[in-house]
Amino acid sequence: MNKPIINLTDLDTNPLFSDDLRDFLVTTPLPIVVYYVADGGFRTYLVSDGFAKLYESTAEEETARLNSDNPFANVLEKDELSKAVKEFVEQDKPLNVVYHEYVGKERKLLAVHCHGMHRVTPDGRRYSLIRYGEFSDSSRKLLFAKERQELEAEKESKLTILRGLSKEYLSVWYLDGHTQAITLMQNNGKPVDNGRAVKIGVRALDYKTAMDSYFKEFASDEEYEKLIQKTSYEEIVKNTEENVLYPVNYVRKNDDGTKSYFQACYAKSVGKDGVVNFIFGFRNIDASMQEEKKRQEELEKAKDDAVKANRAKTEFLFNMSHDIRTPMNAIIGFINMALKNIDNKDKVKECLEKSQKSSEMLLNLINDVLEMSRIESGKIKMASYEADIYDSFYGIGDILKEVASSRDIELTFDYKNIQDRYIYCDVTHMNRIFSNIISNAIKYNHDGGYVKVTTEQVCREGKDTGIYRYTFEDNGIGMSEEFQKHVFEQFSREENSTVSRIQGTGLGLALCKELVDVLNGSIACESKQGQGSKFIVTVPFKINHSMQENGKKAKDKQKDVISFAGKKVLLVDDNDLNRDIAKDMLEDNDIIVDEADNGVAAVDMVKKNGPHYYSAILMDIQMPLMDGYEATKVIRETYPDAKIPIIALSANAFEEDKQRSIDMGMNAHVAKPVNIDILLKAMSEAVSK
């Protein structure tokens, strides 16, 4: 126990209390004794009139008795009371006892309850205030037992609060509502005198003075007045009328010049007399504040992202509306023009050709939008097919050369340092990238210009991966430096008179960027306005060692397309228009077509005519009664040994859609709108397998 270094003799020249307070304590009817504690001992400082009356004596006589060598001479439990008082004074143990004592001239036996508490004056002197009560009969003893239970419950409540605060708080204090004095209950397990807070005088124990000293030392000048107001006793009481806890956050200055977030938290503890006391503590909340700050930043970012997403959605719908209406307007306009000139064969032909180009543009737009949507939703899957680097542009090279030659643009393909020719890659998506970049190079070029495509193996990563670089270089109109910053953004098109005359959606390069990212590659752009552009795509491919070692080409020699002229084909589709279009294309190739409008009808026709009646079945997927997958399953189960070629015709055009058709027992998958050349090739390959 820490005791002030003040002698007992100081009381004569330096009283503990003011005259007014002393007079109040002396004349109070409450049985009270004030002891002054110093030098390891104590003496009676004053006795109230209420105490003297309880003992049927005078205040002077009782003061003398209590300061005598044997103050407990008339107490039956003398040893127990003496020990309790000694532990109370020397060890700060609570004093809360009942004893029996003979009082007055008639030596009346009283049951006395005394309850003691320590106090410290603002100047640091220590005193004890002991309150006494009479319990002279059994009813009063029962009353005392109840009161003692209440006191114990109050004590346990305080200890519970203390234990709760001690887990997180650096120091914990008790604020007495009666005296406005504070007592340090815990200081992070360290001796009280070791704390810096003690050194600056917080242990002066007058609450208002202590908080003033603390915040002057640790709080900023800007927060000082606000914190003094927030932590005043009156403010604490007001803020805990409905809430048990009252937190006050502030910024604390550290010794090293840094600042930390701190919190003073007050827990209400109402005494049995109704006076509101508090247990309060100080803790560092840097981590939680940083976490809260991070959470707020994340919320702000989420809000910004939502605003941007909503804006992007609006812009997307605006651009889509414009870009869809452009080819649709052309299609409708040219069809109306053809109808007006139905007798002019050349005019009708011109209108239909322009409508066809607009239809192709609309289809490309829809495909790009759907592809972008799947990439952004994370649903896109990359396939892995055997491929030959030298055939990277197979299927699109010849078509693009034809487009380029129509404007006298030279399109060339060159290969450098190819060590690993045979690879695994997603040919469809790679051709999508190549097609978009080369188409742009042709579209935004001058008549008589050039487009040069160079494929180069940069290096190997380990033994199984090759890094390949594709360079697309042209001498077209080029791009401004400002536009190059946005070239891979959706619906981004340079605004100048030349570009505005050329049809485009502004999605092609954005799609290329997204696909390259999915492939774990990179795409870059270099351009000068009026001189041309260069796009560089770098992607990793897994090396096909088995084909490399055998010297086998990744692609067999193209087989001749088998003629289906004069052969029977079953066309299954629930849409009359789709059937009419497909039937017309097939009959143009001298193919005999039977029709079914759902899966059930298709199965019945196969069963009726036998498994070898049709050379191929062209099966739509989504149909009433029975879809194409189920119809295929029934046919395969009915004729397990018959290898009837079944080709899916579906508006579902993604790789996973194609793979699902194969998994469901079909031989191939052709996307709508149907290209007759692609369909005949698929039929031919299915028959030849």
Side-chain angles (χ1 to χ4, degrees):
M1 182 179 69
N2 299 300
K3 301 181 178 62
I5 310 300
I6 301 173
N7 296 324
L8 291 169
T9 55
D10 290 343
L11 293 174
D12 298 326
T13 58
N14 189 14
L16 281 177
F17 309 118
S18 65
D19 291 340
D20 290 341
L21 181 57
R22 179 184 174 83
D23 290 342
F24 170 79
L25 292 172
V26 169
T27 59
T28 181
L30 296 174
I32 293 174
V33 176
V34 176
Y35 293 89
Y36 180 66
V37 184
D39 300 334
F42 67 98
R43 60 177 275 194
T44 304
Y45 183 62
L46 62 82
V47 173
S48 71
D49 290 342
F51 182 86
K53 184 177 179 181
L54 178 67
Y55 278 78
E56 299 179 359
S57 180
T58 65
E60 291 76 18
E61 289 175 341
E62 289 306 306
T63 300
R65 180 178 69 82
L66 293 173
N67 281 331
S68 68
D69 293 333
N70 192 12
F72 308 130
N74 296 322
V75 176
L76 296 182
E77 300 91 350
K78 178 169 56 178
D79 293 338
E80 290 85 351
L81 180 60
S82 178
K83 179 182 178 183
V85 172
K86 182 178 176 65
E87 290 177 344
F88 170 66
V89 173
E90 297 181 356
Q91 301 177 28
D92 278 350
K93 286 192 174 182
L95 180 64
N96 188 8
V97 298
V98 174
Y99 61 91
H100 297 81
E101 185 175 9
Y102 292 101
V103 301
K105 294 179 181 180
E106 297 181 2
R107 293 181 60 77
K108 181 174 65 175
L109 184 63
L110 290 181
V112 182
H113 167 232
C114 68
H115 174 68
M117 61 192 78
H118 293 302
R119 294 287 183 266
V120 178
T121 63
D123 63 359
R125 291 184 294 170
R126 191 160 177 267
Y127 67 95
S128 299
L129 188 149
I130 301 180
R131 181 176 175 179
Y132 294 78
E134 179 187 357
F135 300 89
S136 57
D137 55 34
S138 59
S139 63
R140 289 179 178 269
K141 289 180 182 179
L142 290 172
L143 178 64
F144 168 69
K146 180 180 179 182
E147 183 174 329
R148 184 169 183 177
Q149 289 177 356
E150 292 174 351
L151 291 170
E152 289 296 330
E154 182 180 342
K155 175 184 173 184
E156 181 59 32
S157 174
K158 291 178 182 177
L159 289 174
T160 300
I161 296 173
L162 175 61
R163 285 191 291 267
L165 292 176
S166 298
K167 294 177 181 178
E168 297 184 21
Y169 290 79
L170 301 176
S171 61
V172 182
W173 301 77
Y174 177 71
L175 169 57
D176 190 310
H178 282 287
T179 63
Q180 300 290 295
I182 58 174
T183 305
L184 183 61
M185 303 177 74
Q186 182 160 327
N187 190 33
N188 209 23
K190 299 178 181 178
V192 174
D193 289 340
N194 290 343
R196 183 173 175 228
V198 175
K199 294 180 182 179
I200 65 165
V202 173
R203 200 169 175 268
L205 295 181
D206 177 73
Y207 175 68
K208 186 175 180 181
T209 304
M211 298 306 286
D212 184 77
S213 300
Y214 177 81
F215 286 128
K216 276 184 178 176
E217 176 71 14
F218 293 118
S220 65
D221 295 338
E222 296 79 12
E223 282 195 305
Y224 169 75
E225 292 292 343
K226 182 173 65 175
L227 290 171
I228 289 297
Q229 189 273 329
K230 281 187 173 183
T231 58
S232 66
Y233 180 79
E234 295 75 19
E235 188 70 15
I236 302 168
V237 171
K238 184 176 76 173
N239 282 279
T240 53
E241 287 178 354
E242 296 183 359
N243 302 305
V244 176
L245 293 179
Y246 171 52
V248 178
N249 296 342
Y250 60 97
V251 178
R252 184 184 187 275
K253 295 184 291 189
N254 299 322
D255 293 334
D256 58 3
T258 60
K259 294 181 180 180
S260 302
Y261 288 102
F262 262 68
Q263 182 185 85
C265 188
Y266 295 80
K268 182 168 64 175
S269 175
V270 182
K272 66 171 186 173
D273 53 4
V275 176
V276 181
N277 308 304
F278 293 96
I279 295 175
F280 66 99
F282 298 90
R283 65 170 177 169
N284 187 314
I285 57 170
D286 246 350
S288 59
M289 288 298 289
Q290 292 297 335
E291 185 175 331
E292 176 64 18
K293 184 179 179 182
K294 181 181 178 182
R295 191 177 71 86
Q296 288 295 332
E297 289 174 351
E298 290 174 348
L299 287 174
E300 285 297 322
K301 183 178 182 300
K303 178 184 175 183
D304 291 342
D305 289 345
V307 171
K308 290 177 182 177
N310 191 50
R311 188 183 301 121
K313 178 182 177 182
T314 302
E315 292 175 355
F316 173 81
L317 292 174
F318 175 81
N319 284 301
M320 280 299 298
S321 175
H322 174 271
D323 290 332
I324 287 177
R325 285 175 182 274
T326 299
M328 280 299 297
N329 182 63
I331 294 169
I332 295 171
F334 285 124
I335 290 175
N336 288 333
M337 194 181 298
L339 291 172
K340 288 179 182 179
N341 296 275
I342 196 69
D343 296 327
N344 187 337
K345 184 177 179 180
D346 293 337
K347 188 65 176 178
V348 170
K349 181 181 179 184
E350 178 188 350
C351 291
L352 293 178
E353 287 175 348
K354 289 180 178 180
S355 294
Q356 186 176 24
K357 288 182 179 179
S358 296
S359 300
E360 291 170 356
M361 179 184 174
L362 180 59
L363 180 61
N364 288 334
L365 172 62
I366 293 171
N367 287 337
D368 285 348
V369 170
L370 292 175
E371 198 74 49
M372 288 291 293
S373 175
R374 293 180 70 78
I375 293 172
E376 291 175 352
S377 65
K379 293 182 179 179
I380 191 169
K381 295 181 181 179
M382 289 295 172
S384 181
Y385 301 115
E386 293 181 343
D388 182 346
I389 284 293
Y390 288 102
D391 286 342
S392 294
F393 304 96
Y394 174 78
I396 64 169
D398 292 340
I399 297 173
L400 292 170
K401 277 187 175 182
E402 184 177 342
V403 174
S405 64
S406 67
R407 294 182 51 200
D408 198 24
I409 295 173
E410 183 182 12
L411 173 59
T412 60
F413 297 92
D414 190 19
Y415 300 86
K416 292 182 179 179
N417 305 320
I418 304 300
Q419 302 174 33
D420 302 297
R421 172 176 180 175
Y422 304 107
I423 59 170
Y424 295 98
C425 76
D426 190 323
V427 177
T428 301
H429 284 115
M430 287 306 300
N431 279 354
R432 191 70 170 274
I433 296 170
F434 299 150
S435 177
N436 283 347
I437 296 176
I438 297 172
S439 294
N440 278 351
I442 297 171
K443 187 189 301 182
Y444 299 104
N445 211 323
H446 308 287
D447 291 350
Y450 70 82
V451 178
K452 183 178 180 182
V453 183
T454 304
T455 304
E456 179 181 5
Q457 184 171 354
V458 179
C459 63
R460 268 191 177 187
E461 279 190 358
K463 66 176 184 177
D464 295 325
T465 303
I467 307 300
Y468 297 84
R469 180 167 59 219
Y470 297 87
T471 304
F472 306 83
E473 188 174 2
D474 67 70
N475 63 340
I477 64 175
M479 295 176 285
S480 65
E481 290 185 9
E482 179 60 29
F483 178 70
Q484 290 177 55
K485 300 174 184 176
H486 309 283
V487 68
F488 296 114
E489 296 176 5
Q490 295 183 27
F491 299 108
S492 180
R493 299 191 74 203
E494 182 137 38
E495 296 180 2
N496 61 52
S497 58
T498 303
V499 174
S500 62
R501 293 196 302 267
I502 302 172
Q503 284 189 335
T505 64
L507 278 176
L509 289 177
L511 178 59
C512 289
K513 177 69 168 62
E514 295 290 347
L515 288 172
V516 169
D517 287 345
V518 175
L519 290 165
N520 297 317
S522 65
I523 183 170
C525 170
E526 300 173 10
S527 184
K528 285 188 178 181
Q529 208 158 21
Q531 297 183 27
S533 302
K534 179 192 290 186
F535 285 86
I536 303 168
V537 176
T538 305
V539 286
F541 292 135
K542 186 178 179 182
I543 299 169
N544 188 335
H545 290 292
S546 61
M547 297 182 72
Q548 192 76 21
E549 291 167 2
N550 296 331
K552 181 183 177 183
K553 290 185 178 181
K555 179 178 174 298
D556 294 330
K557 290 182 180 180
Q558 186 174 358
K559 298 176 181 177
D560 294 331
V561 176
I562 297 174
S563 174
F564 279 79
K567 295 185 178 180
K568 295 182 178 64
V569 168
L570 176 60
L571 176 61
V572 189
D573 198 312
D574 63 314
N575 187 288
D576 295 341
L577 293 178
N578 286 341
R579 287 203 313 276
D580 288 344
I581 294 169
K583 182 179 180 181
D584 182 72
M585 289 189 294
L586 293 168
E587 289 180 342
D588 279 347
N589 286 272
D590 299 324
I591 298 173
I592 302 170
V593 180
D594 284 349
E595 300 177 55
D597 58 4
N598 61 71
V600 174
V603 171
D604 289 343
M605 291 180 73
V606 172
K607 288 181 177 179
K608 176 183 176 182
N609 296 309
H612 304 294
Y613 183 77
Y614 296 111
S615 297
I617 300 174
L618 308 181
M619 185 81 72
D620 184 26
I621 301 299
Q622 295 184 14
M623 295 181 292
L625 301 181
M626 181 184 290
D627 64 29
Y629 294 139
E630 185 64 25
T632 299
K633 179 182 177 183
V634 172
I635 292 170
R636 295 296 187 210
E637 289 176 350
T638 305
Y639 304 104
D641 298 327
K643 297 180 180 181
I644 308 172
I646 303 177
I647 291 90
L649 298 184
S650 173
N652 299 326
F654 298 112
E655 283 299 319
E656 50 265 46
D657 299 318
K658 297 176 182 178
Q659 187 58 49
R660 187 182 181 192
S661 296
I662 302 301
D663 295 340
M664 295 302 293
M666 298 181 178
N667 298 84
H669 182 111
V670 175
K672 296 176 182 178
V674 175
N675 181 305
I676 188 60
D677 293 331
I678 295 175
L679 176 58
L680 292 175
K681 179 183 175 184
M683 292 167 60
S684 178
E685 290 177 351
V687 170
S688 62
K689 286 182 179 179

